[in-house]
Amino acid sequence: GLVLNRATQKFNGTITVTNTGNTTLTGPFKVELAGLTAGVTLSNAAGMHNGAPYLNASAASLAPGQSMTVAVSFANPNKVGISYSTRVYTGNF
């Protein structure tokens, strides 16, 4: 879930990504938030890709079954429901 920081008026949380495959994945990893609700901004975005904001993940690799977490911070001035789907990329854009 997301937690509202009353001082900053930002909604903060994490996204967990798990390698469900059979081989180790090598980074760098980028986590794209596609279809983010209109009016909501990913405050800690590293940039845009395919018209969607993305985050840089710090993990260098992910072995099968291993997970990594990425912090998210959303500005949501209209207090609407926040929805998105994630896409994970390896390498650089």
Side-chain angles (χ1 to χ4, degrees):
L2 298 171
V3 176
L4 174 63
N5 179 320
R6 292 183 190 273
T8 64
Q9 291 299 299
K10 303 268 171 87
F11 290 84
N12 301 305
T14 59
I15 295 172
T16 301
V17 177
T18 303
N19 179 357
T20 59
N22 295 322
T23 60
T24 297
L25 302 173
T26 302
F29 297 100
K30 312 273 190 217
V31 180
E32 181 183 285
L33 278 64
L36 185 59
T37 304
V40 176
T41 304
L42 181 61
S43 301
N44 63 329
M48 298 291 285
H49 180 255
N50 294 328
Y54 71 88
L55 300 159
N56 292 318
S58 62
S61 65
L62 277 179
Q66 187 177 18
S67 297
M68 66 178 171
T69 58
V70 181
V72 292
S73 179
F74 297 101
N76 185 2
N78 298 323
K79 308 289 191 274
V80 296
I82 299 173
S83 65
Y84 55 86
S85 60
T86 57
R87 294 184 187 132
V88 179
Y89 296 90
T90 59
N92 293 307
F93 295 138

